[in-house]
Amino acid sequence: MRLVVVGNGMAGARLVGEVRSRSRDVRITVFGAEARQPYNRVLLSNVLAGTSTPDQARLVDPAWYGEHDVTARLGVRVTAIDRDRKTVLASDGTREPYDVLVLATGSEPVVPSIPGAGRALPFRTLDDCDRIRKAATSARGVAVVGGGLLGIEAARGLAGRGVPVTLLHLGDHLMERQLDVEAGLVLRQTLGALGVRVRTGVTVSAVHERRVDLSTGESMDADLVVLACGVRPVVGLARDAGLEVDRGVVVDDELRTDDPAIFAIGECAQHAGMVYGLVSPAWEQAAVAADVVTGADRAARYRGSRMVTRLKARSVELAAMGETHLTDEQAEIVSFSHRRNGTYRKLVIRDGRLVGAILLGETPAVGTLTRLFDRGGPLPADRAGLLFPGVLADVAVAQSPVRMPDSAQVCHCNNVTKGQIRACWEAGARDLPAVTAATAATTGCGGCRDAVEGIVGWLSEQEGVSA
């Protein structure tokens, strides 16, 4: 079977790996518009801040393609799909036949229609990071437009380089889709302490060479303007091919489009009316599509994802999940706020189940609450114990590799348990890179890195081997 994958980002690269892990008989060709190896976009803010290198963000070793008999056409864009002949036309003039085609074209930055927008730089790719870093070296002031996840990550990354940054956001508070008003205020104060000036209820109306005009009628000095105004699915290829497109490429529970030979996954796909802009749903979709395409599990179906938004900018820890905007009249709300300390914790409970949560600031309860949210399990009567997990036995256990059960989930992005880490360690993966290669742990948000290193170190100590 000839499988062609259009898109070599986090969704497309994951699909290729999932397919190859299930079958060696599939002939795989993947096209990537970027000439780079696939990389982890979640770590872009760290690259921007200089705390991670581009190589540390890389998802696939260059030798992997040859070792796994995968043809990677990097820096080659697919320009058209010929559904009648089952071929794709590439930007270099070549044609590639397929039996199954998977679209993983991702999304593109939204650029506002304002005068001078061409002077601003988007924040979406590693190449964008390179351009922003170079421009920031001589900038006396930076304006970041957009107070969502990407905007906050960009602002924090630039502030980490010592550049004066002002974050401009049209909404009344930061990340208003995921956070309530109090959480937005705590996050704003946390960013302020890290060197990011935040202005809400305002946006840019024009970009000039050394300043921006604001919607309030003011002007603000800015040598560099970074756009993080959101993204939109890349659907032009699918639309031109006559596939059903709404906000994204419309797919069913098998991730098939209305052409049974063509699938779509990741940020370009729309399932049951939802377009997911996060990594975890894309990887869940990749696993289902790989099962269906290879026949490894013909009954596999995608039923949607329970989204957990994670912000992992340096010195800013945030997780938001589910229905965070319900009121006391609609649900049981348990919350704690300490603005000076940058801490805000909120649980939204309905019918004895956790249906939403906001966790801002360091808290060891993230893993426990994420599992309760994902699985919909009953909550303990002591709600305060969920907010302050030092009294929770299961969280105390999770803090020690010795006492952590093998069933405990260590990497939530990739559903990797302590038992799986132990198993691959016993099979010969004796350091963090080897464990990462075997399980994909740490390749999502990166928040589990210390825990995985701790488990590997503890296992090595048990045999008297130095980690």
Side-chain angles (χ1 to χ4, degrees):
M1 183 182 69
R2 297 168 299 183
L3 169 65
V4 172
V5 181
V6 181
N8 198 32
M10 296 188 74
R14 182 66 164 226
L15 174 76
V16 169
E18 295 276 5
V19 168
R20 184 53 81 225
S21 70
R22 289 161 173 76
S23 174
R24 297 290 302 186
D25 299 328
V26 179
R27 174 184 160 188
I28 304 174
T29 301
V30 57
F31 288 88
E34 293 184 66
R36 297 178 182 269
Q37 305 290 335
Y39 54 87
N40 188 344
R41 294 188 193 276
V42 178
L43 300 180
L44 286 182
S45 63
N46 292 343
V47 175
L48 190 59
T51 57
S52 294
T53 66
D55 281 347
Q56 289 173 320
R58 192 173 61 197
L59 287 171
V60 178
D61 188 279
W64 185 90
Y65 296 107
E67 294 170 354
H68 292 83
D69 194 25
V70 172
T71 300
R73 306 284 304 280
L74 304 183
V76 181
R77 186 181 299 274
V78 171
T79 58
I81 302 169
D82 186 335
R83 291 169 58 188
D84 294 330
R85 293 181 174 84
K86 283 194 169 183
T87 60
V88 298
L89 177 64
S91 57
D92 60 0
T94 60
R95 291 180 176 270
E96 185 71 29
Y98 66 84
D99 297 305
V100 174
L101 174 65
V102 179
L103 302 178
T105 49
S107 57
E108 62 187 358
V110 173
V111 178
S113 299
I114 57 174
R119 294 189 178 94
L121 297 178
F123 176 59
R124 181 65 180 164
T125 68
L126 271 176
D127 287 341
D128 293 337
C129 277
D130 287 343
R131 286 188 284 267
I132 293 170
R133 286 206 317 267
K134 290 175 183 176
T137 57
S138 59
R140 291 172 296 176
V142 180
V144 176
V145 186
L149 199 64
L150 279 178
I152 292 170
E153 289 178 344
R156 176 64 190 106
L158 286 164
R161 304 183 76 88
V163 181
V165 179
T166 300
L167 180 61
L168 305 170
H169 185 51
L170 180 61
D172 292 332
H173 65 270
L174 298 174
M175 293 182 66
E176 70 275 6
R177 292 183 180 180
Q178 296 88 9
L179 305 183
D180 60 17
V181 174
E182 179 63 18
L185 290 173
V186 176
L187 178 57
R188 177 174 183 158
Q189 186 159 319
T190 298
L191 291 172
L194 296 172
V196 178
R197 182 188 179 209
V198 177
R199 292 196 60 181
T200 54
V202 64
T203 190
V204 171
S205 58
V207 179
H208 303 280
E209 187 173 353
R210 296 193 179 278
R211 77 173 201 279
V212 295
D213 295 337
L214 304 181
S215 56
T216 58
E218 308 165 74
S219 290
M220 187 185 85
D221 292 339
D223 301 298
L224 170 62
V225 180
V226 177
L227 297 177
C229 308
V231 295
R232 63 168 65 92
V234 176
V235 298
L237 193 63
R239 182 181 285 118
D240 291 345
L243 298 173
E244 182 182 359
V245 172
D246 186 16
R247 288 184 301 129
V249 183
V250 177
V251 296
D252 61 17
D253 289 353
E254 290 186 320
L255 286 314
R256 291 184 198 267
T257 67
D258 51 340
D259 183 328
I262 303 178
F263 294 67
I265 63 170
E267 293 180 318
C268 71
Q270 178 176 323
H271 173 267
M274 286 291 296
V275 176
Y276 297 94
L278 299 174
V279 174
S280 183
W283 285 357
E284 292 171 16
Q285 292 172 2
V288 171
D291 279 336
V292 174
V293 166
T294 63
D297 181 0
R298 297 187 185 280
R301 297 293 184 271
Y302 178 68
R303 304 299 187 189
S305 297
R306 294 172 67 81
M307 292 194 295
V308 179
T309 300
R310 300 293 296 268
L311 174 60
K312 292 297 293 184
R314 189 176 58 162
S315 303
V316 185
E317 295 279 348
L318 170 66
M321 60 197 83
E323 302 176 70
T324 58
H325 294 290
L326 296 184
T327 65
D328 286 310
E329 290 74 28
Q330 299 167 311
E332 177 187 351
I333 308 296
V334 184
S335 64
F336 170 81
S337 180
H338 188 183
R339 292 187 190 178
R340 177 178 289 185
N341 196 42
T343 299
Y344 181 71
R345 302 174 187 178
K346 177 181 180 179
L347 308 180
V348 183
I349 302 165
R350 191 166 52 200
D351 299 326
R353 263 63 176 176
L354 186 68
V355 298
I358 300 172
L359 302 167
L360 177 58
E362 288 190 22
T363 171
V366 172
T368 297
L369 292 174
T370 301
R371 288 194 297 274
L372 288 170
F373 173 71
D374 284 340
R375 299 170 187 174
L379 301 181
D382 179 16
R383 309 300 204 216
L386 291 171
L387 289 183
F388 304 97
V391 300
L392 286 180
D394 59 339
V395 175
V397 167
Q399 292 174 336
S400 168
V402 179
R403 300 169 59 195
M404 185 187 298
D406 277 356
S407 60
Q409 195 173 64
V410 179
C411 177
H412 299 284
C413 296
N414 292 286
N415 298 317
V416 180
T417 64
K418 177 195 170 185
Q420 290 171 296
I421 295 172
R422 181 200 292 272
C424 76
W425 185 89
E426 291 173 346
R430 297 304 176 97
D431 57 21
L432 181 64
V435 170
T436 296
T439 66
T442 76
T443 62
C445 70
C448 64
R449 184 183 180 90
D450 290 345
V452 175
E453 282 186 320
I455 292 170
V456 171
W458 169 71
L459 288 168
S460 298
E461 290 172 4
Q462 305 312 296
E463 283 198 348
V465 178
S466 172

